Amino acid sequence: MKTVLTGIKPTGDIHLGNLLGAIKPAIEMSRSGDFDRALYFVADAHALTSVRDPEIFKNYVYETTATWVALGLDTEKSIFFKQSDIKEVFELTWILNCMTPKGDLNRAHSYKDRVQKNQQEGRDLDHGVNMGLFDYPVLMSSDILLYDTNEVPVGKDQVQHIEIARSIAGRCNEYFGEGTLVEPQEVIQKNGSYVVGLDGRKMSKSYGNVIPLWGTEKKLRKTINKIATDSTPEEAPKDPDNCTIMELYRLFATADQINALEKRYREGIGWGYAKLELFEVVNEYLKEPRERFNSLMNNKDELDKILNHGAQRASEIAEATMKRVRSRITGF
Ligand code: ADP
Ligand code: TRP
């Protein structure tokens, strides 16, 4: 039995980084025939560490669900669900918490970054840190281990979390015997595991530099126009290997299109023109999914149905795993 699984946190506009680092590869893996099971979910419990408005929260959950379906996920062949619908994940989180050295979590990136920032700004080191943020990697380990997952497609920033999940599983297998939990492996894309944003840093909701998947064509055009460029004159030759526009273009264009635009760079190209070329390929990719997304967002009953159906199927797997884990760990 080979299982692929990944989750997306519903905390804001889904963007090109999420698409290329996680969603697109995950959908391709579900179609590849290499897996017996594909499970994908909305990591809504993880979003609670930061979202504080129920209206917004609910809308993000629906948007995340509609995104996967709009991009072509088959919710019959794959199991698509909402994390918090499967209560076993919280039971497993407690068990795994008891098997996790606190030091491992002190070293986890998002917590460490927060502490470092507080230090720099002269604040209390735990300012703005809730226990959910601290324990985030253990809940994520439960997400993965609960479904006996073998492979997890994610962007580079999530690798440490998968390593933590693998190490917790390994420790449980040592304590309670081989086969207690499956040790998972991350799957990183050659292209797309580190998509750059408008300012040339990693595209991320937390940096406010994203190109969102959804919205009107006009909005996409406007966002792409915001990509930071220098003031090199239009006619001056430009380096296609050192440019955010080109970096994004390569992720959507064909080999011929890429060659042609690289040539124009070397001859001299206006940034406005290069941005327009990028807009064209991204828009072409998103055109049909955008219509499906909009129509799904107008049909919440359909989205509820998809989530309920997925929850039923995911819960069968979760129950079986918990039976095994409880019995190995507690004897009951
Ligand atoms: P964000 O950093 O915008 O909050 P998430 O943490 O919700 O994004 O990420 C959801 C998925 O998308 C994860 O698998 C993550 O690794 C991937 N991802 C996020 N940003 C990028 C990026 N810039 N390039 C590639 N993958 C990314
Ligand atoms: N932490 C992931 C993110 O921020 C989301 C996530 C939660 C996830 N649980 C997961 C990803 C399990 C892969 C597997 O993007």
Side-chain angles (χ1 to χ4, degrees):
M1 179 64 79
K2 209 168 154 206
T3 301
V4 52
L5 165 146
T6 200
I8 301 280
K9 219 171 20 167
T11 47
D13 286 344
I14 298 183
H15 55 77
L16 295 186
N18 304 144
L19 170 73
L20 298 165
I23 304 176
K24 185 166 171 262
I27 293 178
E28 282 163 6
M29 287 166 93
S30 75
R31 291 174 180 158
S32 67
D34 294 343
F35 296 89
D36 304 291
R37 287 194 308 220
L39 290 107
Y40 302 127
F41 63 93
V42 187
D44 62 327
H46 276 112
L48 280 178
T49 64
S50 60
V51 184
R52 292 287 176 265
D53 179 319
E55 283 286 311
I56 293 180
F57 187 88
K58 195 170 181 186
N59 199 53
Y60 283 156
V61 170
Y62 281 133
E63 282 186 0
T64 309
T65 308
T67 295
W68 281 87
V69 180
L71 290 169
L73 183 74
D74 182 330
T75 53
E76 279 306 324
K77 291 203 175 103
S78 307
I79 302 178
F80 189 84
F81 62 102
K82 174 150 71 67
Q83 177 188 30
S84 67
D85 281 338
I86 313 301
K87 303 304 175 202
E88 284 82 358
V89 81
F90 303 114
E91 181 186 356
L92 186 59
T93 299
W94 179 255
I95 295 176
L96 300 186
N97 266 327
C98 298
M99 311 291 158
T100 306
K102 177 171 176 281
D104 285 7
L105 299 186
N106 289 341
R107 285 184 286 278
H109 293 315
S110 17
Y111 172 68
K112 220 170 101 180
D113 290 352
R114 196 57 179 256
V115 170
Q116 217 162 31
K117 197 166 164 240
N118 285 335
Q119 198 163 27
Q120 281 160 4
E121 292 170 4
R123 290 212 187 93
D124 182 279
L125 293 190
D126 280 328
H127 173 83
V129 177
N130 57 54
M131 287 304 290
L133 175 72
F134 186 69
D135 205 33
Y136 190 106
V138 179
L139 177 58
M140 180 158 162
S141 299
S142 298
D143 289 331
I144 297 169
L145 303 178
L146 185 57
Y147 305 97
D148 288 341
T149 304
N150 304 95
E151 296 188 16
V152 188
V154 279
K156 265 194 190 134
D157 57 305
Q158 295 297 315
V159 171
Q160 189 195 35
H161 290 150
I162 316 296
E163 285 166 357
I164 293 175
R166 190 158 57 237
S167 118
I168 294 177
R171 196 173 303 114
C172 288
N173 289 338
E174 237 172 73
Y175 292 162
F176 306 107
E178 276 313 306
T180 302
L181 290 166
V182 174
E183 296 179 29
Q185 198 64 47
E186 65 275 10
V187 179
I188 300 294
Q189 300 313 299
K190 252 201 245 86
N191 300 312
S193 69
Y194 187 96
V195 176
V196 290
L198 299 174
D199 55 1
R201 293 188 292 170
K202 185 202 126 173
M203 187 178 289
S204 171
K205 277 166 277 191
S206 17
Y207 295 154
N209 65 354
V210 307
I211 303 180
L213 293 190
W214 313 123
T216 59
E217 250 184 49
K218 203 168 148 199
K219 187 177 151 214
L220 178 65
R221 181 86 189 268
K222 258 178 117 169
T223 310
I224 288 178
N225 276 332
K226 286 192 206 147
I227 295 176
T229 44
D230 57 23
S231 52
T232 327
E234 187 164 334
E235 60 290 352
K238 302 193 172 55
D239 180 5
D241 293 323
N242 189 14
C243 170
T244 303
I245 304 170
M246 199 67 217
E247 215 173 316
L248 290 167
Y249 189 75
R250 285 199 186 93
L251 298 169
F252 290 92
T254 62
D256 283 350
Q257 285 174 318
I258 295 169
N259 284 336
L261 193 60
E262 283 179 347
K263 188 160 166 274
R264 303 242 6 218
Y265 262 67
R266 292 193 192 95
E267 290 165 358
I269 185 174
W271 292 131
Y273 179 82
K275 286 174 180 175
L276 183 62
E277 290 292 304
L278 174 61
F279 163 76
E280 296 288 352
V281 287
V282 176
N283 190 48
E284 188 56 37
Y285 187 92
L286 292 178
K287 219 184 222 165
E288 285 176 20
R290 182 188 294 134
E291 277 175 30
R292 286 196 290 272
F293 176 84
N294 290 338
S295 111
L296 282 159
M297 283 304 286
N298 283 322
N299 191 353
K300 303 275 162 49
D301 286 350
E302 175 65 20
L303 295 174
D304 282 330
K305 232 195 262 167
I306 289 170
L307 290 173
N308 289 335
H309 181 55
Q312 274 173 17
R313 296 163 71 206
S315 113
E316 284 170 27
I317 304 170
E319 278 170 28
T321 310
M322 280 318 294
K323 230 179 174 165
R324 181 185 76 225
V325 170
R326 266 186 230 113
S327 138
R328 292 275 189 120
I329 293 183
T330 68
F332 282 95

